[in-house]
Amino acid sequence: MTGTDTTALGYEQARDELIEVVRRLEAGGTSLEDSLALWERGEELAKVCRRWLEGARARLDASLAGPAAEEDTGGTGAGAERDGATGR
């Protein structure tokens, strides 16, 4: 357990540290206090990973929605299409 501030961790770093925390917990042999500290660290790391994955999902969704939104407006944007429909 490194005790690194979780706000500065990238996804891969948090994931790798989380794997190590789980390995140590599964191996046993730690005191109750150390086990609780490892568990708490694991929870923090899992939240970091979840935030990264949610951000990646949002970027993918936005990327996939972008071309569909452009096709719906004929590539001219919603404002231009509305102006064409009203003759203004």
Side-chain angles (χ1 to χ4, degrees):
M1 188 169 68
T2 63
T4 306
D5 179 22
T6 57
T7 59
L9 292 176
Y11 172 77
E12 290 81 6
Q13 188 178 2
R15 180 202 60 211
D16 292 346
E17 188 178 339
L18 179 57
I19 290 169
E20 178 62 18
V21 165
V22 170
R23 186 196 63 73
R24 289 180 62 190
L25 284 168
E26 288 178 341
T30 57
S31 68
L32 177 59
E33 190 63 34
D34 287 345
S35 293
L36 288 172
L38 283 168
W39 181 271
E40 290 168 348
R41 181 66 180 168
E43 288 290 329
E44 292 173 13
L45 293 165
K47 288 177 186 176
V48 170
C49 291
R50 192 174 309 114
R51 281 193 303 266
W52 276 104
L53 291 172
E54 288 169 353
R57 169 57 67 190
R59 287 178 62 190
L60 286 171
D61 289 346
S63 177
L64 293 173
E70 191 173 309
E71 288 174 12
D72 290 344
T73 62
T76 59
E81 185 175 324
R82 183 176 57 242
D83 291 342
T86 61
R88 290 189 241 163

